[in-house]
Amino acid sequence: MELLQLQYFQTVARLEHMTKAAQELHIAQPALSKTIARLEQDLGVPLFDRQSRQIRLNHFGRAFLKKVNLALNVLEEGRKEVADLAGTERGSIHLATNNLGRITSAISAYRTEHPEVNFRILQTPPASMEELVNLLENGEVDLCFTAASIDHPDIREQPVLDAEVFLAVPPGHPLERRSSIRLEEVAAEPFIEYKTGHPFRKINASFCREAGISPNIVCEVDEPSALGSLVQAGLGVAFMPACRKDETPPYKMLRLETPVCRRVFRIAWLERRYLPKAARSFGRFLAEYYAELQAP
């Protein structure tokens, strides 16, 4: 059994299509088919069910794929660790996030200081915390950046940004002259919210429960930019995190006196997997970067 066979099998298993796998691997399809056939011969069982030109991973293949993924991930970790020790890798960071807008400026600032480091960024749906876990467990990313705790026994988390949450009100709103407010005072206001399942929706719901109110949600969105645009258009009020010091939003931001409303953004990584130097460096940088932004 050869390493190349395992890598080829992993690709074919993911795509379940021999032609597409051959194209992705940049080899001829007959050569790929022979490689998979030799692997099945070595194992003594078929790994795919074949019907005409269709192939599907069977129960032998699914069981074998789990071990192949583990083996190849361990080898990749070893490569990264040896490269770090030898000082030959210029650095790369594989990052997944369900809140790209909040971390974009930090990535840009880090690249300014470390132009030799390359980023590969995967943006996941806001509600898909399970996808972040899978990406870490499968070794597809080094770090995740999220505003909600992943809450997994094998995943470590480090808070890097503790952001105060304000209530944004439209221009000309009767509350615009106020500088602060208690959340219970706006129980009757129309609220613009994130869609059900979004981590921010869950955090915002906890604020409302603590204040003893049930918000009147008139509109649901996916993106923070849409939230701000609808507030500006006068459709309702919304929970919004503190802006950067160099930003002035086109709507009034009221400090919430009670309850205390904050969002904690964090990075997460799989504890049992080797974390490359570049990823560790970026984690330290994030904490310092956001602390500087929040400094008075």
Side-chain angles (χ1 to χ4, degrees), residues 2-64:
E2 301 172 359
L3 178 60
L4 199 61
Q5 287 179 310
L6 301 183
Q7 293 171 332
Y8 286 2
F9 165 71
Q10 188 183 55
T11 302
V12 174
R14 172 167 53 83
L15 298 174
E16 290 190 323
H17 196 287
M18 200 67 73
T19 301
K20 291 180 180 178
Q23 290 172 346
E24 184 172 310
L25 293 166
H26 303 292
I27 64 171
Q29 182 180 329
L32 178 59
S33 298
K34 289 180 181 178
T35 299
I36 298 301
R38 285 199 303 270
L39 178 61
E40 291 177 317
Q41 186 176 1
D42 290 343
L43 292 171
V45 294
L47 299 172
F48 298 90
D49 291 331
R50 296 167 171 83
Q51 294 181 352
S52 183
R53 294 186 177 182
Q54 301 292 320
I55 62 170
R56 291 289 181 268
L57 202 63
N58 60 27
H59 67 287
F60 295 122
R62 288 191 292 272
F64 187 57

Short mmCIF file of all heavy atoms in Angstrom, two decimals, residues 2-64:
data_model
loop_
_atom_site.label_atom_id
_atom_site.label_comp_id
_atom_site.label_asym_id
_atom_site.label_seq_id
_atom_site.Cartn_x
_atom_site.Cartn_y
_atom_site.Cartn_z
N GLU A 2 0.65 2.13 -0.95
CA GLU A 2 1.49 3.31 -1.11
C GLU A 2 0.73 4.58 -0.73
O GLU A 2 -0.50 4.63 -0.79
CB GLU A 2 1.97 3.41 -2.57
CG GLU A 2 2.75 2.20 -3.05
CD GLU A 2 3.04 2.26 -4.54
OE1 GLU A 2 2.60 3.26 -5.18
OE2 GLU A 2 3.68 1.34 -5.06
N LEU A 3 1.51 5.60 -0.36
CA LEU A 3 0.92 6.88 0.03
C LEU A 3 0.09 7.47 -1.11
O LEU A 3 -1.00 8.01 -0.90
CB LEU A 3 2.02 7.85 0.46
CG LEU A 3 1.58 9.27 0.84
CD1 LEU A 3 0.61 9.23 2.02
CD2 LEU A 3 2.79 10.13 1.18
N LEU A 4 0.61 7.36 -2.33
CA LEU A 4 -0.09 7.91 -3.49
C LEU A 4 -1.46 7.25 -3.67
O LEU A 4 -2.44 7.91 -4.03
CB LEU A 4 0.75 7.74 -4.74
CG LEU A 4 0.39 8.65 -5.93
CD1 LEU A 4 0.56 10.12 -5.55
CD2 LEU A 4 1.25 8.31 -7.14
N GLN A 5 -1.53 5.93 -3.40
CA GLN A 5 -2.80 5.24 -3.50
C GLN A 5 -3.83 5.83 -2.53
O GLN A 5 -4.99 6.03 -2.87
CB GLN A 5 -2.62 3.75 -3.18
CG GLN A 5 -1.93 2.95 -4.26
CD GLN A 5 -1.76 1.49 -3.84
OE1 GLN A 5 -1.27 1.21 -2.75
NE2 GLN A 5 -2.18 0.58 -4.69
N LEU A 6 -3.37 6.12 -1.33
CA LEU A 6 -4.27 6.67 -0.30
C LEU A 6 -4.74 8.07 -0.69
O LEU A 6 -5.91 8.41 -0.51
CB LEU A 6 -3.56 6.70 1.05
CG LEU A 6 -3.06 5.37 1.59
CD1 LEU A 6 -2.44 5.55 2.97
CD2 LEU A 6 -4.18 4.34 1.64
N GLN A 7 -3.83 8.87 -1.21
CA GLN A 7 -4.21 10.22 -1.63
C GLN A 7 -5.21 10.18 -2.78
O GLN A 7 -6.18 10.95 -2.82
CB GLN A 7 -2.96 11.00 -2.03
CG GLN A 7 -2.04 11.29 -0.84
CD GLN A 7 -0.71 11.86 -1.27
OE1 GLN A 7 -0.23 11.59 -2.37
NE2 GLN A 7 -0.08 12.64 -0.40
N TYR A 8 -4.97 9.27 -3.73
CA TYR A 8 -5.90 9.13 -4.85
C TYR A 8 -7.25 8.63 -4.37
O TYR A 8 -8.31 9.12 -4.80
CB TYR A 8 -5.33 8.17 -5.90
CG TYR A 8 -4.21 8.73 -6.74
CD1 TYR A 8 -3.72 10.01 -6.53
CD2 TYR A 8 -3.63 7.98 -7.76
CE1 TYR A 8 -2.69 10.53 -7.30
CE2 TYR A 8 -2.60 8.49 -8.55
CZ TYR A 8 -2.13 9.76 -8.31
OH TYR A 8 -1.10 10.27 -9.07
N PHE A 9 -7.24 7.65 -3.49
CA PHE A 9 -8.49 7.10 -2.96
C PHE A 9 -9.29 8.19 -2.23
O PHE A 9 -10.50 8.29 -2.39
CB PHE A 9 -8.21 5.94 -2.00
CG PHE A 9 -9.39 5.57 -1.14
CD1 PHE A 9 -10.50 4.95 -1.68
CD2 PHE A 9 -9.41 5.88 0.22
CE1 PHE A 9 -11.60 4.62 -0.90
CE2 PHE A 9 -10.49 5.57 1.01
CZ PHE A 9 -11.59 4.93 0.45
N GLN A 10 -8.62 9.02 -1.46
CA GLN A 10 -9.29 10.08 -0.72
C GLN A 10 -10.03 11.03 -1.67
O GLN A 10 -11.16 11.44 -1.41
CB GLN A 10 -8.27 10.86 0.12
CG GLN A 10 -8.87 11.88 1.08
CD GLN A 10 -7.80 12.65 1.82
OE1 GLN A 10 -6.92 13.26 1.20
NE2 GLN A 10 -7.84 12.63 3.14
N THR A 11 -9.39 11.37 -2.78
CA THR A 11 -10.01 12.26 -3.76
C THR A 11 -11.20 11.60 -4.45
O THR A 11 -12.26 12.21 -4.61
CB THR A 11 -8.97 12.71 -4.80
OG1 THR A 11 -7.89 13.36 -4.14
CG2 THR A 11 -9.60 13.67 -5.81
N VAL A 12 -11.03 10.34 -4.87
CA VAL A 12 -12.12 9.63 -5.53
C VAL A 12 -13.30 9.46 -4.57
O VAL A 12 -14.46 9.63 -4.95
CB VAL A 12 -11.65 8.25 -6.05
CG1 VAL A 12 -12.83 7.46 -6.62
CG2 VAL A 12 -10.57 8.43 -7.12
N ALA A 13 -13.01 9.17 -3.31
CA ALA A 13 -14.07 8.99 -2.31
C ALA A 13 -14.83 10.29 -2.08
O ALA A 13 -16.06 10.28 -1.90
CB ALA A 13 -13.46 8.50 -0.99
N ARG A 14 -14.13 11.41 -2.12
CA ARG A 14 -14.79 12.70 -1.91
C ARG A 14 -15.69 13.06 -3.08
O ARG A 14 -16.80 13.56 -2.89
CB ARG A 14 -13.73 13.78 -1.68
CG ARG A 14 -14.28 15.19 -1.63
CD ARG A 14 -13.26 16.18 -1.10
NE ARG A 14 -12.01 16.11 -1.81
CZ ARG A 14 -11.76 16.74 -2.96
NH1 ARG A 14 -12.71 17.49 -3.51
NH2 ARG A 14 -10.58 16.65 -3.54
N LEU A 15 -15.22 12.81 -4.29
CA LEU A 15 -15.97 13.21 -5.48
C LEU A 15 -16.95 12.14 -5.97
O LEU A 15 -17.93 12.47 -6.65
CB LEU A 15 -15.00 13.57 -6.61
CG LEU A 15 -14.06 14.76 -6.33
CD1 LEU A 15 -13.05 14.91 -7.46
CD2 LEU A 15 -14.86 16.04 -6.15
N GLU A 16 -16.65 10.89 -5.65
CA GLU A 16 -17.43 9.75 -6.15
C GLU A 16 -17.65 9.85 -7.67
O GLU A 16 -18.73 9.64 -8.19
CB GLU A 16 -18.78 9.65 -5.40
CG GLU A 16 -18.61 9.22 -3.96
CD GLU A 16 -19.93 8.87 -3.28
OE1 GLU A 16 -20.93 9.54 -3.56
OE2 GLU A 16 -19.94 7.94 -2.47
N HIS A 17 -16.55 10.21 -8.33
CA HIS A 17 -16.60 10.35 -9.79
C HIS A 17 -15.17 10.22 -10.31
O HIS A 17 -14.32 11.06 -10.02
CB HIS A 17 -17.19 11.71 -10.17
CG HIS A 17 -17.63 11.80 -11.59
ND1 HIS A 17 -16.74 11.88 -12.65
CD2 HIS A 17 -18.89 11.82 -12.14
CE1 HIS A 17 -17.43 11.95 -13.78
NE2 HIS A 17 -18.73 11.92 -13.50
N MET A 18 -14.92 9.16 -11.08
CA MET A 18 -13.55 8.87 -11.49
C MET A 18 -12.99 9.93 -12.43
O MET A 18 -11.83 10.34 -12.30
CB MET A 18 -13.50 7.49 -12.15
CG MET A 18 -12.11 6.88 -12.18
SD MET A 18 -11.47 6.45 -10.52
CE MET A 18 -12.48 5.00 -10.13
N THR A 19 -13.79 10.39 -13.38
CA THR A 19 -13.31 11.39 -14.34
C THR A 19 -12.96 12.70 -13.64
O THR A 19 -11.90 13.29 -13.88
CB THR A 19 -14.35 11.63 -15.44
OG1 THR A 19 -14.62 10.40 -16.12
CG2 THR A 19 -13.85 12.65 -16.44
N LYS A 20 -13.86 13.18 -12.78
CA LYS A 20 -13.60 14.42 -12.07
C LYS A 20 -12.39 14.30 -11.16
O LYS A 20 -11.59 15.23 -11.03
CB LYS A 20 -14.83 14.82 -11.25
CG LYS A 20 -16.02 15.25 -12.09
CD LYS A 20 -17.21 15.63 -11.21
CE LYS A 20 -18.40 16.06 -12.05
NZ LYS A 20 -19.58 16.40 -11.21
N ALA A 21 -12.24 13.15 -10.52
CA ALA A 21 -11.08 12.94 -9.64
C ALA A 21 -9.79 12.95 -10.45
O ALA A 21 -8.78 13.54 -10.02
CB ALA A 21 -11.22 11.62 -8.89
N ALA A 22 -9.80 12.31 -11.62
CA ALA A 22 -8.61 12.29 -12.47
C ALA A 22 -8.25 13.70 -12.92
O ALA A 22 -7.06 14.07 -12.94
CB ALA A 22 -8.85 11.39 -13.68
N GLN A 23 -9.25 14.50 -13.24
CA GLN A 23 -9.00 15.88 -13.65
C GLN A 23 -8.40 16.69 -12.50
O GLN A 23 -7.47 17.48 -12.69
CB GLN A 23 -10.30 16.53 -14.13
CG GLN A 23 -10.80 15.96 -15.45
CD GLN A 23 -12.19 16.47 -15.82
OE1 GLN A 23 -12.90 17.04 -14.98
NE2 GLN A 23 -12.60 16.25 -17.06
N GLU A 24 -8.93 16.51 -11.30
CA GLU A 24 -8.43 17.25 -10.15
C GLU A 24 -7.00 16.83 -9.81
O GLU A 24 -6.19 17.66 -9.38
CB GLU A 24 -9.34 17.04 -8.94
CG GLU A 24 -8.94 17.85 -7.72
CD GLU A 24 -9.96 17.77 -6.60
OE1 GLU A 24 -11.17 17.98 -6.86
OE2 GLU A 24 -9.55 17.50 -5.45
N LEU A 25 -6.71 15.54 -9.98
CA LEU A 25 -5.38 15.02 -9.65
C LEU A 25 -4.38 15.19 -10.80
O LEU A 25 -3.19 14.88 -10.62
CB LEU A 25 -5.48 13.54 -9.28
CG LEU A 25 -6.25 13.23 -7.98
CD1 LEU A 25 -6.58 11.75 -7.89
CD2 LEU A 25 -5.43 13.67 -6.77
N HIS A 26 -4.88 15.61 -11.96
CA HIS A 26 -4.03 15.83 -13.14
C HIS A 26 -3.34 14.54 -13.60
O HIS A 26 -2.14 14.51 -13.89
CB HIS A 26 -2.98 16.91 -12.87
CG HIS A 26 -3.56 18.22 -12.44
ND1 HIS A 26 -4.30 19.02 -13.27
CD2 HIS A 26 -3.53 18.86 -11.23
CE1 HIS A 26 -4.69 20.11 -12.62
NE2 HIS A 26 -4.25 20.03 -11.38
N ILE A 27 -4.13 13.47 -13.62
CA ILE A 27 -3.62 12.21 -14.16
C ILE A 27 -4.67 11.64 -15.11
O ILE A 27 -5.83 12.09 -15.12
CB ILE A 27 -3.30 11.17 -13.06
CG1 ILE A 27 -4.59 10.77 -12.31
CG2 ILE A 27 -2.26 11.68 -12.10
CD1 ILE A 27 -4.38 9.60 -11.35
N ALA A 28 -4.27 10.66 -15.91
CA ALA A 28 -5.20 10.03 -16.84
C ALA A 28 -6.18 9.15 -16.07
O ALA A 28 -5.81 8.50 -15.08
CB ALA A 28 -4.44 9.21 -17.86
N GLN A 29 -7.43 9.11 -16.54
CA GLN A 29 -8.43 8.31 -15.84
C GLN A 29 -8.09 6.82 -15.78
O GLN A 29 -8.26 6.19 -14.73
CB GLN A 29 -9.81 8.51 -16.48
CG GLN A 29 -10.91 7.74 -15.76
CD GLN A 29 -12.27 7.93 -16.40
OE1 GLN A 29 -12.55 8.97 -16.95
NE2 GLN A 29 -13.11 6.90 -16.32
N PRO A 30 -7.60 6.22 -16.88
CA PRO A 30 -7.24 4.78 -16.79
C PRO A 30 -6.19 4.51 -15.72
O PRO A 30 -6.27 3.50 -15.01
CB PRO A 30 -6.71 4.47 -18.19
CG PRO A 30 -7.38 5.47 -19.08
CD PRO A 30 -7.47 6.72 -18.26
N ALA A 31 -5.22 5.43 -15.58
CA ALA A 31 -4.19 5.24 -14.56
C ALA A 31 -4.79 5.32 -13.16
O ALA A 31 -4.41 4.55 -12.25
CB ALA A 31 -3.10 6.30 -14.72
N LEU A 32 -5.72 6.24 -12.97
CA LEU A 32 -6.38 6.37 -11.67
C LEU A 32 -7.20 5.13 -11.37
O LEU A 32 -7.17 4.60 -10.25
CB LEU A 32 -7.26 7.62 -11.66
CG LEU A 32 -8.05 7.87 -10.37
CD1 LEU A 32 -7.12 8.01 -9.17
CD2 LEU A 32 -8.92 9.11 -10.51
N SER A 33 -7.94 4.64 -12.35
CA SER A 33 -8.76 3.45 -12.15
C SER A 33 -7.90 2.24 -11.77
O SER A 33 -8.27 1.46 -10.88
CB SER A 33 -9.56 3.14 -13.42
OG SER A 33 -10.45 4.20 -13.72
N LYS A 34 -6.74 2.11 -12.42
CA LYS A 34 -5.84 0.99 -12.09
C LYS A 34 -5.29 1.13 -10.69
O LYS A 34 -5.15 0.13 -9.96
CB LYS A 34 -4.70 0.94 -13.11
CG LYS A 34 -5.11 0.48 -14.50
CD LYS A 34 -3.92 0.45 -15.46
CE LYS A 34 -4.36 0.01 -16.85
NZ LYS A 34 -3.21 0.03 -17.81
N THR A 35 -4.98 2.37 -10.26
CA THR A 35 -4.46 2.59 -8.91
C THR A 35 -5.49 2.19 -7.86
O THR A 35 -5.16 1.52 -6.87
CB THR A 35 -4.08 4.07 -8.72
OG1 THR A 35 -3.07 4.42 -9.65
CG2 THR A 35 -3.56 4.32 -7.31
N ILE A 36 -6.75 2.58 -8.06
CA ILE A 36 -7.81 2.23 -7.12
C ILE A 36 -8.04 0.72 -7.12
O ILE A 36 -8.25 0.10 -6.06
CB ILE A 36 -9.11 2.98 -7.46
CG1 ILE A 36 -8.91 4.49 -7.34
CG2 ILE A 36 -10.24 2.53 -6.54
CD1 ILE A 36 -8.48 4.97 -5.96
N ALA A 37 -7.98 0.11 -8.31
CA ALA A 37 -8.17 -1.35 -8.40
C ALA A 37 -7.08 -2.09 -7.65
O ALA A 37 -7.34 -3.09 -6.96
CB ALA A 37 -8.20 -1.77 -9.87
N ARG A 38 -5.82 -1.62 -7.75
CA ARG A 38 -4.71 -2.26 -7.02
C ARG A 38 -4.90 -2.11 -5.51
O ARG A 38 -4.61 -3.03 -4.75
CB ARG A 38 -3.38 -1.65 -7.44
CG ARG A 38 -2.89 -2.10 -8.81
CD ARG A 38 -1.39 -1.84 -8.97
NE ARG A 38 -1.06 -0.43 -8.78
CZ ARG A 38 -1.06 0.48 -9.76
NH1 ARG A 38 -1.38 0.11 -11.00
NH2 ARG A 38 -0.73 1.72 -9.52
N LEU A 39 -5.39 -0.94 -5.08
CA LEU A 39 -5.64 -0.73 -3.66
C LEU A 39 -6.71 -1.70 -3.16
O LEU A 39 -6.56 -2.31 -2.08
CB LEU A 39 -6.08 0.72 -3.41
CG LEU A 39 -6.44 1.10 -1.97
CD1 LEU A 39 -5.24 0.92 -1.04
CD2 LEU A 39 -6.95 2.53 -1.90
N GLU A 40 -7.77 -1.86 -3.92
CA GLU A 40 -8.83 -2.80 -3.52
C GLU A 40 -8.31 -4.23 -3.50
O GLU A 40 -8.67 -5.03 -2.63
CB GLU A 40 -10.01 -2.67 -4.49
CG GLU A 40 -10.76 -1.34 -4.36
CD GLU A 40 -11.88 -1.19 -5.38
OE1 GLU A 40 -11.64 -1.53 -6.56
OE2 GLU A 40 -12.96 -0.73 -4.99
N GLN A 41 -7.42 -4.54 -4.44
CA GLN A 41 -6.83 -5.88 -4.47
C GLN A 41 -5.96 -6.11 -3.24
O GLN A 41 -6.00 -7.19 -2.63
CB GLN A 41 -5.99 -6.05 -5.74
CG GLN A 41 -5.45 -7.47 -5.94
CD GLN A 41 -4.70 -7.61 -7.26
OE1 GLN A 41 -4.58 -6.66 -8.02
NE2 GLN A 41 -4.19 -8.80 -7.53
N ASP A 42 -5.20 -5.09 -2.84
CA ASP A 42 -4.36 -5.21 -1.64
C ASP A 42 -5.21 -5.41 -0.38
O ASP A 42 -4.84 -6.18 0.52
CB ASP A 42 -3.51 -3.95 -1.45
CG ASP A 42 -2.42 -3.83 -2.50
OD1 ASP A 42 -2.12 -4.85 -3.16
OD2 ASP A 42 -1.88 -2.71 -2.67
N LEU A 43 -6.36 -4.72 -0.33
CA LEU A 43 -7.23 -4.82 0.85
C LEU A 43 -8.10 -6.07 0.83
O LEU A 43 -8.58 -6.52 1.88
CB LEU A 43 -8.13 -3.58 0.93
CG LEU A 43 -7.43 -2.25 1.22
CD1 LEU A 43 -8.40 -1.08 1.04
CD2 LEU A 43 -6.86 -2.24 2.63
N GLY A 44 -8.35 -6.60 -0.36
CA GLY A 44 -9.16 -7.80 -0.48
C GLY A 44 -10.66 -7.55 -0.49
O GLY A 44 -11.45 -8.51 -0.41
N VAL A 45 -11.07 -6.29 -0.60
CA VAL A 45 -12.50 -5.95 -0.65
C VAL A 45 -12.69 -4.78 -1.60
O VAL A 45 -11.79 -3.96 -1.77
CB VAL A 45 -13.06 -5.56 0.75
CG1 VAL A 45 -13.04 -6.74 1.71
CG2 VAL A 45 -12.31 -4.37 1.32
N PRO A 46 -13.87 -4.67 -2.22
CA PRO A 46 -14.16 -3.48 -3.03
C PRO A 46 -14.47 -2.30 -2.12
O PRO A 46 -15.09 -2.45 -1.07
CB PRO A 46 -15.39 -3.90 -3.84
CG PRO A 46 -16.08 -4.90 -2.97
CD PRO A 46 -14.98 -5.64 -2.26
N LEU A 47 -14.02 -1.12 -2.52
CA LEU A 47 -14.26 0.09 -1.74
C LEU A 47 -15.41 0.91 -2.31
O LEU A 47 -15.93 1.82 -1.63
CB LEU A 47 -12.99 0.96 -1.70
CG LEU A 47 -11.78 0.29 -1.06
CD1 LEU A 47 -10.53 1.16 -1.24
CD2 LEU A 47 -12.03 0.02 0.42
N PHE A 48 -15.80 0.59 -3.54
CA PHE A 48 -16.88 1.32 -4.21
C PHE A 48 -17.88 0.34 -4.80
O PHE A 48 -17.51 -0.76 -5.22
CB PHE A 48 -16.33 2.21 -5.34
CG PHE A 48 -15.38 3.28 -4.88
CD1 PHE A 48 -14.01 3.02 -4.82
CD2 PHE A 48 -15.84 4.53 -4.51
CE1 PHE A 48 -13.12 4.01 -4.40
CE2 PHE A 48 -14.97 5.52 -4.08
CZ PHE A 48 -13.60 5.25 -4.02
N ASP A 49 -19.13 0.76 -4.82
CA ASP A 49 -20.14 0.04 -5.58
C ASP A 49 -20.20 0.68 -6.95
O ASP A 49 -20.32 1.90 -7.08
CB ASP A 49 -21.52 0.15 -4.91
CG ASP A 49 -21.56 -0.62 -3.59
OD1 ASP A 49 -20.83 -1.62 -3.47
OD2 ASP A 49 -22.31 -0.21 -2.69
N ARG A 50 -20.13 -0.15 -7.98
CA ARG A 50 -20.08 0.35 -9.36
C ARG A 50 -21.33 -0.09 -10.11
O ARG A 50 -21.63 -1.28 -10.17
CB ARG A 50 -18.82 -0.14 -10.06
CG ARG A 50 -17.52 0.39 -9.44
CD ARG A 50 -16.30 -0.36 -9.96
NE ARG A 50 -15.04 0.23 -9.55
CZ ARG A 50 -14.46 0.00 -8.38
NH1 ARG A 50 -15.05 -0.82 -7.50
NH2 ARG A 50 -13.30 0.55 -8.08
N GLN A 51 -22.02 0.88 -10.68
CA GLN A 51 -23.18 0.62 -11.52
C GLN A 51 -23.04 1.44 -12.79
O GLN A 51 -23.10 2.68 -12.72
CB GLN A 51 -24.47 0.99 -10.80
CG GLN A 51 -24.77 0.12 -9.59
CD GLN A 51 -26.07 0.50 -8.92
OE1 GLN A 51 -26.67 1.51 -9.27
NE2 GLN A 51 -26.51 -0.32 -7.99
N SER A 52 -22.81 0.77 -13.89
CA SER A 52 -22.53 1.45 -15.15
C SER A 52 -21.33 2.37 -14.94
O SER A 52 -20.26 1.91 -14.55
CB SER A 52 -23.77 2.23 -15.61
OG SER A 52 -23.53 2.82 -16.87
N ARG A 53 -21.50 3.69 -15.14
CA ARG A 53 -20.38 4.62 -14.95
C ARG A 53 -20.43 5.30 -13.58
O ARG A 53 -19.60 6.16 -13.29
CB ARG A 53 -20.40 5.68 -16.05
CG ARG A 53 -20.14 5.11 -17.44
CD ARG A 53 -20.03 6.23 -18.46
NE ARG A 53 -19.71 5.71 -19.79
CZ ARG A 53 -19.52 6.47 -20.85
NH1 ARG A 53 -19.61 7.80 -20.74
NH2 ARG A 53 -19.24 5.93 -22.03
N GLN A 54 -21.41 4.95 -12.76
CA GLN A 54 -21.56 5.56 -11.44
C GLN A 54 -20.78 4.77 -10.40
O GLN A 54 -20.74 3.53 -10.44
CB GLN A 54 -23.05 5.60 -11.04
CG GLN A 54 -23.93 6.38 -11.99
CD GLN A 54 -23.62 7.86 -11.96
OE1 GLN A 54 -23.38 8.42 -10.90
NE2 GLN A 54 -23.62 8.50 -13.12
N ILE A 55 -20.12 5.46 -9.49
CA ILE A 55 -19.46 4.80 -8.37
C ILE A 55 -19.93 5.45 -7.07
O ILE A 55 -20.16 6.65 -7.01
CB ILE A 55 -17.92 4.87 -8.47
CG1 ILE A 55 -17.43 6.33 -8.45
CG2 ILE A 55 -17.41 4.14 -9.70
CD1 ILE A 55 -15.93 6.44 -8.31
N ARG A 56 -20.12 4.61 -6.06
CA ARG A 56 -20.54 5.09 -4.75
C ARG A 56 -19.70 4.39 -3.69
O ARG A 56 -19.49 3.18 -3.74
CB ARG A 56 -22.03 4.79 -4.50
CG ARG A 56 -22.98 5.61 -5.36
CD ARG A 56 -23.01 7.06 -4.94
NE ARG A 56 -23.94 7.84 -5.74
CZ ARG A 56 -23.63 8.49 -6.83
NH1 ARG A 56 -22.37 8.43 -7.30
NH2 ARG A 56 -24.52 9.18 -7.50
N LEU A 57 -19.23 5.15 -2.72
CA LEU A 57 -18.45 4.59 -1.62
C LEU A 57 -19.33 3.61 -0.85
O LEU A 57 -20.44 3.97 -0.43
CB LEU A 57 -17.98 5.74 -0.71
CG LEU A 57 -16.77 5.51 0.19
CD1 LEU A 57 -15.52 5.24 -0.65
CD2 LEU A 57 -16.57 6.72 1.08
N ASN A 58 -18.87 2.37 -0.67
CA ASN A 58 -19.66 1.39 0.08
C ASN A 58 -19.24 1.37 1.55
O ASN A 58 -18.43 2.20 1.99
CB ASN A 58 -19.55 -0.01 -0.55
CG ASN A 58 -18.12 -0.52 -0.58
OD1 ASN A 58 -17.28 -0.14 0.25
ND2 ASN A 58 -17.81 -1.39 -1.54
N HIS A 59 -19.76 0.46 2.34
CA HIS A 59 -19.48 0.47 3.77
C HIS A 59 -18.01 0.14 4.06
O HIS A 59 -17.45 0.64 5.03
CB HIS A 59 -20.41 -0.49 4.53
CG HIS A 59 -20.21 -1.94 4.23
ND1 HIS A 59 -20.60 -2.52 3.04
CD2 HIS A 59 -19.64 -2.92 4.97
CE1 HIS A 59 -20.30 -3.81 3.06
NE2 HIS A 59 -19.71 -4.08 4.21
N PHE A 60 -17.36 -0.67 3.20
CA PHE A 60 -15.92 -0.90 3.36
C PHE A 60 -15.16 0.41 3.10
O PHE A 60 -14.24 0.76 3.84
CB PHE A 60 -15.43 -1.97 2.36
CG PHE A 60 -15.98 -3.34 2.59
CD1 PHE A 60 -16.69 -3.98 1.58
CD2 PHE A 60 -15.81 -4.00 3.80
CE1 PHE A 60 -17.21 -5.25 1.78
CE2 PHE A 60 -16.32 -5.28 4.01
CZ PHE A 60 -17.03 -5.90 2.99
N GLY A 61 -15.57 1.09 2.03
CA GLY A 61 -14.91 2.34 1.66
C GLY A 61 -15.07 3.41 2.71
O GLY A 61 -14.12 4.14 3.01
N ARG A 62 -16.27 3.52 3.30
CA ARG A 62 -16.49 4.54 4.34
C ARG A 62 -15.64 4.27 5.57
O ARG A 62 -15.08 5.20 6.16
CB ARG A 62 -17.98 4.60 4.70
CG ARG A 62 -18.85 5.22 3.61
CD ARG A 62 -20.25 5.50 4.11
NE ARG A 62 -20.98 4.27 4.37
CZ ARG A 62 -21.70 3.61 3.48
NH1 ARG A 62 -21.79 4.07 2.23
NH2 ARG A 62 -22.35 2.51 3.79
N ALA A 63 -15.54 3.01 5.95
CA ALA A 63 -14.72 2.66 7.12
C ALA A 63 -13.24 2.93 6.84
O ALA A 63 -12.53 3.48 7.69
CB ALA A 63 -14.93 1.19 7.48
N PHE A 64 -12.79 2.58 5.63
CA PHE A 64 -11.39 2.78 5.28
C PHE A 64 -11.07 4.26 5.15
O PHE A 64 -10.00 4.72 5.56
CB PHE A 64 -11.08 2.04 3.97
CG PHE A 64 -9.63 2.03 3.59
CD1 PHE A 64 -8.66 1.51 4.44
CD2 PHE A 64 -9.21 2.56 2.37
CE1 PHE A 64 -7.31 1.50 4.08
CE2 PHE A 64 -7.88 2.56 2.01
CZ PHE A 64 -6.93 2.03 2.87
#
